[in-house]
Structures are given as C-alpha cells and as structure tokens.
Amino acid sequence: MANQASLMFNYIFTIFIIPMSVLCGASTEEKKAHIVYMGSLPKGQYSPLSHHRSMLRQTVQLDSSVETSYIRSYTRSFNGFVAKLTDIEKQRLSNMEGVISVFPSKTLQLHTTRSWDFIEFKITPGRNDQFESDIIIGVLDTGIWPESESFNDKGFGPPPSKWKGSCEGGQNFTCNNKIIGARYYGASRPNSSPSARDNHGHGSHTASTAAGNIVNDVSFFGLAQGNAKGGVPSARIAAYKICQPDGCSDEDILAGFDDAIADGVDIISVSLGAGGQAEASDFFNNSIAIGSFHAMQKGILTSQAAGNSGPSYGSTTSVAPWLISVAASTTDRLFIDKVVLGDGRTLVGKSINSFASPTTTFPLLHGTQVSIRCSVNDAMNCKPGCLDKTMVKGSYVLCNSYGGYSEAYNAGALGVVMRNEPYLDVADIVTFPALLLNATEHDLVLSYVNSTKFPKARILKSETMNDAEAPTIASFSSRGPNSITPDIIKPDLSAPGVDILAAFSPLATPSFSSSDPRHVPYTIMSGTSMACPHVSGAAAYVKAFHSEWSPSAIKSALMTTAYPISDAKSLGGEFAYGSGLVFPVEAARPGLVYEALEEDYIIMLCSIGYDAKKLQILLGDTNTACPTVTASPKDLNYPSMGAEVVPERPVNIMFNRTVTNVGIENSIYKAKIVTNSKLNIEVEPEVLTFKAVLEKKSFVVSVSGSVPVNSRLSASLVWSDGSFSVRSPIVLHAQSIRA
Ligand SMILES: *[C@@H]1O[C@H](CO)[C@@H](O)[C@H](O)[C@H]1NC(C)=O
Ligand SMILES: *[C@@H]1O[C@H](CO)[C@@H](O)[C@H](O)[C@H]1NC(C)=O
Ligand SMILES: *[C@@H]1O[C@H](CO)[C@@H](O)[C@H](O)[C@H]1NC(C)=O
Ligand SMILES: *[C@@H]1O[C@H](CO)[C@@H](O)[C@H](O)[C@H]1NC(C)=O
Ligand SMILES: *[C@@H]1O[C@H](CO)[C@@H](O)[C@H](O)[C@H]1NC(C)=O
C-alpha cells in the first residue's frame, strides 16, 4: 500500500525526485560505466593516472581501446577510476591486485522555517559566530543559486585559511565569501549544463537549510511567513553539483566526495541515495558509503538522507555506520486547505494551494458528470483522457482518487477535490486550486454532490495551523532495520522534513511542473532531503564549539541528546526515528560521547566478513589485520545499541561500550533504564566516576528477554550526572525486512 502511495504520489505531483535514468538497451556486449574502487591512495610515490590506464590496458578486449573505455580517475582523497566495461572486463578488473570492488555507476535519487524554532534552535547571543564562520559545509546536490539572498556574503570575511578548494562553477557563476567554492560534474550527461548553477531548486533548498543566512519576511505567496534561516547562518558553503537532470550518478557522487574532502570541508551533506525499491548495497559498492568512509578518515562527518521509500521495514539504503542517516519528522506547523460547500459546510484537507480564495462559489461536478468517453469507474477516478474539456470549463471537479489531479488540470477545470487514499501525510504544492480530503470528508462531499441539483463550492487558499501531534515520522521516511548490518540501528536520527520553507532556484517551478508559470525565490518542500541538512547544520554547530571532535563524537553528541519521539505515533519506533529528534543546543554539550575511530570500523568490517587484504587496500596500510577473536557489529562503540535475535527464544545479549567524558571533571554518572517492554536489562557498573575530562570508562549492558516474531522490543539507557543526560536506545529485534 505504502509503496503504491509513494509511486502514485511521485507520478502525480512529480516532486522531489529526479527520474531514474532508463538504462539503455539490450546488447550484452554493451559497455556500461563502472567504478573501479581501489581504497586509499597509496603512500609515497604513486601516479594514479598511469596506474589506472595500465590496468585498463591489461583489461580491455581487442575490439576496444583504453581511450574509448576510460572516463575519469579519483586521485585527491581516495583511489579509483571510472571506465566503460563489458562483463568480462569487469570480471578481469575485479580480480586485479589493488581492487576492492567494481560496480556499475547507477543513478541515485534526490530524497526530496519554522523547522529550526521547532527544535528550539534560536539564533541568540552566546552563539559561536566567530568559530561558526570557520566552518564549511560541503553540499553534494543539484548545485546552488548564488544570487539568492540566503547566500549573500554581506558581513562575511574571506574564506577560512584551511580552505583549499576553488570556484569552478562554470560560466557566469561567481562565488563569494558565503559560497566559497563550487564545482560541477556530469556535464556530458543528457540535458546537463556545464555549471554549478542550480536549475532544479533542490540544492539551493538544502544548502540554505543547512547554512543559509537569516533572511527576514519570506513566504510562499504569503504562506508560512517568517524568517528563512539555516542552522549555522555564519558558516560557509561549498557546492558540488553532482546531479544533472537525469539523476545523480555514482561516478559523479564519488567525484564530489573526492573533491570535497581534499578541498577541506568540515561536514558533508548528501540529500540523496538509492531510492524506490532499491536494496541497500554492500558498503564498497555504494558510492556514498565509500565517499563518507574516506571523509571520516579525514575527520569529516557525512549526513545522509535516510530515503523516501517508507514506511516499509528495511527500506532505508543509508546504512553505513560512519555516516549519520536522517529520517524526516513533522513540525508543529501544518498546512491545510479548505473547501466550502454550497450548503455552508467547510471541509479540511491537504495541499499547499497559493491561489487566492474566490469570493463566489463555482459548480462542483463529479467525474462521472463530466465524462462521456469513459466507464463510470474510470470517470469517477478521473482517469487520464476521461474528462471532457467543454464540460469541466468553469467548474471544479470531484474525483475519487488522487490520480485525478493531472487529468483535471489538463482538461482545464477550475480546480479539483481529490480523495486522500491511501493516506498521505504531507501537503504538496499544487498548480491550480486542489486539495486532498480523507475518506470520511470525501464521502461527505460525494453525498452532497449527489443530494443537490446544482452542487457548488469554493476552494480556499491554504492556511497553516498548529499540529499538536508533532513530532511524528512522515510515512514516506525510509525505515530500518539495516539490511547490511541489522545490529546497527538505522536511521540514526530525525529532523524536520515535512513542509520546509527554504531557498529555491528561479529557473524551476515550485510544483516542478513545466506548465506552472510561477517562479519563486523560496518554496516549500518535503522529504528526508529536507531533514538531512538540518542535521548537517546541527553537526556544524557542534563542530564550531568543538573543532577537535571526531565525526563519531559529533554524531554521538547529536544522537544521545536527541528528543525522544513517541513510539505510538510513528510506525516502526526506532526504525522510524532512530535516537529521536535532533536537539542542536543540547548536542553542543553532550557530557559523554561514544567514539569510534577508523580501527573500530575495521574491526566491524572484519566481523561481517571483509578480508584483511581488502581492508589493507581500503586503508592503504599493509599492517591492517583482523582481530583473532571474532567480534560482532553490535560491539562497535555506537551511540545506540541494537541486535537482531532469533525470535521467540530466550536470549541474553551483551553490549560493551566505552564513553569519553567531554563534560566536566569530577563527575559521577548513574545509569537509568527506561522501558515499558519486557526486556530485562542490567548495566555493569551502574555508576561511572570521571576524575578528568577526556577520561574513558567502559561498561556492559546485558539485555535478556524473548522477542516475538517480526517485532522489536526496545528500551533506553540514560547516563546522567544531574546536569548532562546521555541517552541511547536499546533495541532487540526479529524484524523481517519489507514486511
Ligand atoms: C558488491 O560487492 C560484492 C562483494 O565485494 C560483490 O560480490 C558483488 O558482486 C557486488 N555487487 C555489484 C552489483 O557489483
Ligand atoms: C548570469 O546569470 C544571471 C542569473 O541567471 C542572469 O541574470 C545574467 O543575465 C547572466 N549573465 C550572463 C552574462 O549570462
Ligand atoms: C478526516 O479529516 C478531518 C478533518 O481534518 C478529521 O477531523 C477527521 O478525524 C479525519 N478522519 C479520519 C478518519 O482520519
Ligand atoms: C450517488 O448517486 C449514485 C447514483 O445516482 C449512487 O450510485 C451513489 O452510490 C451515490 N453516492 C453517494 C456517496 O451517495
Ligand atoms: C565485554 O565485556 C566483558 C566484561 O568486561 C568481557 O568479558 C567481554 O569479553 C567483552 N566482550 C567484547 C566483545 O569485547
């Protein structure tokens, strides 16, 4: 049901997704672009370009040449290249010395201001503006609109001295002291433009959410009026345009990481990933997992959108433990739209309808009343081609599905009232007066239309109202469990991702429909794409206070201070929201952090079967070895604790963890378990005493119980010293994927 909903949703509204490129045809001899991934750059004298070419020379078959196969190399932050390969050539390369993986360059999808206030993140004195302006967020997306007010550089000094990047945004693209760097990739792809200029809108939206200036009095045609602002308005932005109109390819994503890491960004924000029915792939066949691994090695945290394929279990493809995967929550601002019937009743539905409320009523006709060509069933659902242009003229149409939207628009109706079934929990921008009503309300309209000879209505302009239910996790937000390492809970964290107002590209239209004549500097979008930059901004905020912290320390701080979300309101519990809703102010003072460094991730990779040889190439270090005692991914020093267990059997799982005191000296933390499940949990020791800052203490959490089939039992551990509170979810699950 849910997947059907999102597919239909995309089809109708064509929002937040760049269509997947259609893989071209048939012949098995056809060469496809593949990434040959070779881990870290070797130390010392090494010429990657000539090495890559020589590998290709040994590989390509007689009827082709290195010149026609070779596409590009990665040489700045990790080692690898892209080439067009046949299956046989791919095999040969996979078996070559120094190669970790060879995988096709696929096309990934974008996971498409109030929100910062909602997470109690106000722009107040006491902020670390001085240090914040030294922070650089690298945004890998559809480019950026440099003339947007959100990226004006008034009051900004020159780029921080650590910046090693450059402005290569193409023709007519000028950087400034806010957008300090720009690059673009994939200029040979269909319909692409050789420029970092954002022609889609998504990249300007995400960049301004992470680090846009404070811009007063913006709105979407008067809706959601207020200030637009990023999480760290004083920080700098480097834009890497890795998406072109046909999508965001793995080879361009890796090129963006290769540059962003070497350019010296502090945080990388990627609001995209494999979407739809894609399965999470092995870490080293996954461009974002690879790129973020090398970013982690250089002290850069990557924040990635969890995906928009929810709510089925296992739908997230953002699974690597060294990045932070972000789910989308609602905020307390809800967009509604009303239809007033001829008999005076007002019904409340969903849409972002910017069109002024009419002062008079217009006829409201059911699909069956304005169709001569189609069966009753097709006509009532306003199927494509069913509505008669002359009959709908000057009238609103009532359709029994939301498939009626484009048909009513194309037929020239004045507006459309649709049925929100299966239920969608987001409002989207419409190109003409239109709204979705839930089944109950829609039935009322149907019976009204049936009961009167001249049914009439007025579709009003949208309004905002308070949503007392918030935060909940949007149904589209991709869920765990993690299909690669089920012991590591994903997504990690939630952030606002529903109806977010932020900067846009004037080249695009707010409904993403080419027939929409509107062009706006700020617009409203929904998606885990919008949630991700909230966490990127929050991570930058933490880093401004603690420039020396590792990516995992920042990630831990964000996770252990998150605000708990109610299990009852979000299908999937921790697999929907991870550790909870990001709470940036608290994240800057977490008290304790769970740190994991490169060597810890290597032990985890050993535990899931990567051999030492591959891991040596990954690190560029021949001394790398796997430990003799096999560990398990649950032993990774992660800020949440998860384990997949055999259902309906008593189990006893131990989690060993080590925390580092980043709070104050001479502090005493006591463990508290919060649970309403039947898990029996013990913590040993129950008290941790720290004399000094940066002191580490280890403890063991033993969890016993029996987990029913296809379910999850959860609790949380809170370490508290009376001032700091450090919370980790604990989840035992026997959750089958996509159930
Ligand atoms: C992914 O990686 C694994 C292990 O390296 C390999 O066996 C598999 O063929 C890869 N898949 C693709 C699609 O390349
Ligand atoms: C550069 O781009 C801006 C924004 O699209 C446009 O207004 C301007 O005319 C362009 N200048 C040139 C020389 O193309
Ligand atoms: C349908 O929508 C109305 C108005 O928003 C609301 O009061 C009602 O509870 C909803 N009904 C269902 C079944 O969701
Ligand atoms: C509307 O009327 C038609 C026939 O006139 C009937 O089939 C249908 O059930 C009615 N629908 C409602 C919701 O009353
Ligand atoms: C976890 O800690 C316990 C107690 O200190 C120890 O016996 C056990 O070996 C540890 N397990 C792992 C996987 O480190």
Side-chain angles (χ1 to χ4, degrees):
M1 266 323 236
N3 283 318
Q4 184 192 357
S6 60
L7 280 178
M8 288 171 74
F9 180 54
N10 292 333
Y11 167 66
I12 297 145
F13 292 96
T14 34
I15 299 212
F16 56 63
I17 290 193
I18 282 187
M20 288 267 263
S21 76
V22 181
L23 284 178
C24 40
S27 155
T28 48
E29 284 307 308
E30 186 161 21
K31 291 176 165 241
K32 290 200 197 105
H34 281 80
I35 288 142
V36 181
Y37 172 54
M38 301 169 63
S40 291
L41 285 159
K43 294 171 185 101
Q45 279 284 324
Y46 176 69
S47 162
L49 294 177
S50 58
H51 186 209
H52 300 159
R53 283 172 176 278
S54 117
M55 289 169 71
L56 257 187
R57 256 194 307 279
Q58 295 169 51
T59 306
V60 292
Q61 289 164 298
L62 284 179
D63 56 351
S64 67
S65 71
V66 170
E67 296 326 307
T68 56
S69 304
Y70 175 83
I71 300 179
R72 63 169 304 139
S73 286
Y74 305 115
T75 60
R76 300 185 71 197
S77 304
F78 47 87
N79 197 9
F81 63 97
V82 185
K84 289 193 194 131
L85 303 173
T86 63
D87 283 347
I88 295 169
E89 291 165 348
K90 174 188 167 178
Q91 270 316 317
R92 286 188 190 156
L93 272 166
S94 313
N95 297 329
M96 271 187 168
E97 184 71 28
V99 173
I100 292 187
S101 58
V102 182
F103 58 98
S105 178
K106 291 190 293 297
T107 311
L108 306 195
Q109 300 174 348
L110 296 169
H111 292 316
T112 318
T113 31
R114 177 73 207 129
S115 53
W116 285 111
D117 289 338
F118 180 62
I119 52 179
E120 295 180 28
F121 197 43
K122 310 229 163 64
I123 308 294
T124 50
R127 287 187 54 124
N128 226 349
D129 282 354
Q130 166 79 54
F131 295 106
E132 196 170 298
S133 74
D134 281 344
I135 299 287
I136 306 159
I137 302 187
V139 182
L140 273 56
D141 212 298
T142 63
I144 197 163
W145 192 258
E147 290 81 13
S148 167
E149 270 304 296
S150 290
F151 311 125
N152 186 309
D153 71 350
K154 223 175 285 158
F156 282 82
S161 56
K162 67 182 178 194
W163 175 241
K164 295 191 284 288
S166 59
C167 188
E168 294 173 33
Q171 233 184 12
N172 193 21
F173 188 106
T174 321
C175 293
N176 59 22
N177 286 330
K178 176 77 186 178
I179 302 176
I180 60 173
R183 298 179 190 273
Y184 63 89
Y185 308 90
S188 60
R189 302 174 69 82
N191 305 317
S192 65
S193 57
S195 164
R197 195 171 276 286
D198 179 13
N199 39 19
H200 182 281
H202 189 274
S204 303
H205 204 275
T206 56
S208 66
T209 299
N213 296 325
I214 303 168
V215 182
N216 293 323
D217 199 24
V218 302
S219 71
F220 181 72
F221 296 99
L223 293 171
Q225 191 134 21
N227 297 341
K229 63 180 180 231
V232 277
S234 304
R236 320 298 179 115
I237 295 166
Y240 300 85
K241 182 179 178 175
I242 47 144
C243 300
Q244 292 290 356
D246 70 338
C248 328
S249 74
D250 282 316
E251 63 184 274
D252 295 338
I253 291 167
L254 276 173
F257 272 103
D258 193 30
D259 283 329
I261 297 166
D263 287 347
V265 305
D266 292 288
I267 305 289
I268 292 177
S269 192
V270 270
S271 286
L272 57 111
Q277 291 296 304
E279 307 267 328
S281 66
D282 182 278
F283 294 133
F284 298 112
N285 295 349
N286 171 335
S287 55
I288 295 172
I290 293 171
S292 59
F293 184 87
H294 293 289
M296 174 276 295
Q297 289 181 303
K298 294 277 154 53
I300 305 161
L301 178 63
T302 300
S303 155
Q304 187 193 3
N308 293 348
S309 308
S312 48
Y313 285 109
S315 47
T316 185
T317 54
S318 175
V319 293
W322 44 82
L323 55 71
I324 187 160
S325 313
V326 188
S329 79
T330 56
T331 72
D332 58 356
R333 182 181 65 195
L334 188 67
F335 285 80
I336 55 159
D337 197 24
K338 292 177 180 164
V339 54
V340 183
L341 303 182
D343 63 8
R345 274 183 300 169
T346 299
L347 305 175
V348 177
K350 276 190 191 297
S351 76
I352 300 174
N353 166 20
S354 70
F355 302 97
S357 304
T359 49
T360 60
T361 53
F362 293 96
L364 172 63
L365 305 174
H366 193 221
T368 52
Q369 299 172 300
V370 287
S371 177
I372 40 176
R373 285 184 284 276
C374 293
S375 68
V376 171
N377 232 313
D378 287 355
M380 72 184 190
N381 289 318
C382 308
K383 286 268 170 73
C386 283
L387 303 187
D388 186 282
K389 285 192 163 64
T390 55
M391 295 169 93
V392 301
K393 197 157 193 269
S395 299
Y396 296 126
V397 181
L398 174 66
C399 302
N400 288 14
S401 76
Y402 49 71
Y405 176 76
S406 12
E407 174 61 9
Y409 182 76
N410 293 336
L414 213 54
V416 63
V417 177
M418 295 166 282
R419 191 175 179 97
N420 193 2
E421 207 175 57
Y423 185 72
L424 280 180
D425 52 7
V426 283
D428 265 290
I429 293 174
V430 290
T431 48
F432 74 136
L435 76 160
L436 290 162
L437 291 178
N438 69 20
T440 326
E441 309 273 284
H442 190 267
D443 281 343
L444 293 175
V445 184
L446 271 177
S447 58
Y448 161 73
V449 167
N450 254 15
S451 70
T452 175
K453 200 147 187 211
F454 300 108
K456 289 184 156 136
R458 289 192 299 144
I459 297 179
L460 307 186
K461 183 176 174 175
S462 288
E463 308 166 29
T464 55
M465 59 176 271
N466 184 269
D467 181 5
E469 288 273 288
T472 61
I473 299 303
S475 59
F476 64 74
S477 190
S478 292
R479 264 55 174 186
N482 187 329
S483 53
I484 302 284
T485 46
D487 288 353
I488 290 174
I489 301 172
K490 289 280 174 172
D492 294 299
L493 190 60
S494 312
V498 176
D499 301 331
I500 306 299
L501 181 72
F504 200 54
S505 164
L507 294 181
T509 72
S511 61
F512 293 94
S513 160
S514 55
S515 59
D516 188 346
R518 296 170 297 175
H519 295 278
V520 292
Y522 289 87
T523 196
I524 297 159
M525 287 202 235
S526 295
T528 51
S529 279
M530 285 64 240
C532 167
H534 280 91
V535 168
S536 312
Y541 176 75
V542 174
K543 186 146 191 185
F545 286 93
H546 308 284
S547 60
E548 74 290 1
W549 281 10
S550 68
S552 63
I554 296 174
K555 174 173 164 173
S556 173
L558 293 167
M559 287 169 66
T560 62
T561 57
Y563 178 81
I565 295 181
S566 154
D567 192 319
K569 289 190 291 191
S570 297
L571 177 71
E574 288 80 5
F575 292 139
Y577 45 70
S579 291
L581 184 70
V582 65
F583 201 178
V585 172
E586 286 299 307
R589 47 182 301 281
L592 306 175
V593 291
Y594 293 79
E595 256 200 309
L597 302 176
E598 185 182 275
E599 54 271 27
D600 302 301
Y601 297 118
I602 293 300
I603 293 170
M604 190 222 73
L605 290 171
C606 291
S607 78
I608 58 169
Y610 285 88
D611 62 76
K613 187 90 208 329
K614 279 202 170 161
L615 298 175
Q616 287 173 1
I617 305 168
L618 176 68
L619 300 189
D621 179 355
T622 51
N623 294 320
T624 303
C626 282
T628 45
V629 183
T630 38
S632 137
K634 75 171 171 50
D635 300 324
L636 180 65
N637 200 34
Y638 212 71
S640 60
M641 298 167 207
E644 185 182 40
V645 299
V646 179
E648 291 179 347
R649 285 237 201 108
V651 290
N652 185 7
I653 306 288
M654 295 215 288
F655 297 96
N656 291 28
R657 292 290 187 271
T658 300
V659 283
T660 307
N661 179 21
V662 295
I664 46 176
E665 55 187 20
N666 295 322
S667 47
I668 300 168
Y669 283 82
K670 294 200 174 75
K672 192 174 100 187
I673 295 294
V674 182
T675 182
N676 50 20
S677 71
K678 289 188 187 129
L679 294 175
N680 182 16
I681 302 176
E682 278 164 31
V683 185
E684 175 59 40
E686 287 183 290
V687 176
L688 300 177
T689 306
F690 296 90
K691 291 204 176 58
V693 172
L694 296 185
E695 194 178 338
K696 291 179 189 287
K697 291 275 164 170
S698 296
F699 60 92
V700 179
V701 181
S702 309
V703 188
S704 53
S706 166
V707 182
V709 168
N710 233 338
S711 67
R712 155 189 61 87
L713 293 179
S714 56
S716 43
L717 163 65
V718 184
W719 285 110
S720 175
D721 74 337
S723 163
F724 300 109
S725 183
V726 189
R727 191 175 61 90
S728 294
I730 301 170
V731 177
L732 296 196
H733 72 97
Q735 185 68 63
S736 68
I737 280 175
R738 289 178 196 273

Short mmCIF file of all heavy atoms in Angstrom, two decimals, residues 145 282 390 489:
data_model
loop_
_atom_site.label_atom_id
_atom_site.label_comp_id
_atom_site.label_asym_id
_atom_site.label_seq_id
_atom_site.Cartn_x
_atom_site.Cartn_y
_atom_site.Cartn_z
N TRP A 145 21.96 28.39 -6.20
CA TRP A 145 21.62 29.65 -6.88
C TRP A 145 22.40 30.76 -6.18
O TRP A 145 22.02 31.22 -5.12
CB TRP A 145 20.11 29.92 -6.81
CG TRP A 145 19.73 31.03 -7.74
CD1 TRP A 145 19.47 32.32 -7.41
CD2 TRP A 145 19.62 30.95 -9.16
NE1 TRP A 145 19.20 33.05 -8.54
CE2 TRP A 145 19.29 32.23 -9.63
CE3 TRP A 145 19.79 29.90 -10.09
CZ2 TRP A 145 19.11 32.51 -10.99
CZ3 TRP A 145 19.60 30.18 -11.43
CH2 TRP A 145 19.26 31.47 -11.88
N ASP A 282 26.12 -3.57 -0.58
CA ASP A 282 27.38 -3.77 0.08
C ASP A 282 28.12 -2.42 0.21
O ASP A 282 28.09 -1.62 -0.71
CB ASP A 282 28.14 -4.69 -0.87
CG ASP A 282 29.47 -5.08 -0.37
OD1 ASP A 282 30.43 -4.29 -0.53
OD2 ASP A 282 29.56 -6.16 0.18
N THR A 390 -15.02 20.72 -22.54
CA THR A 390 -16.10 21.72 -22.55
C THR A 390 -16.99 21.57 -21.31
O THR A 390 -17.53 22.55 -20.81
CB THR A 390 -16.97 21.58 -23.82
OG1 THR A 390 -17.43 20.23 -23.90
CG2 THR A 390 -16.18 21.93 -25.07
N ILE A 489 21.43 0.12 14.41
CA ILE A 489 20.12 0.72 14.18
C ILE A 489 20.24 1.86 13.17
O ILE A 489 21.07 2.74 13.31
CB ILE A 489 19.53 1.28 15.50
CG1 ILE A 489 19.40 0.17 16.55
CG2 ILE A 489 18.19 1.95 15.26
CD1 ILE A 489 19.02 0.67 17.93
#
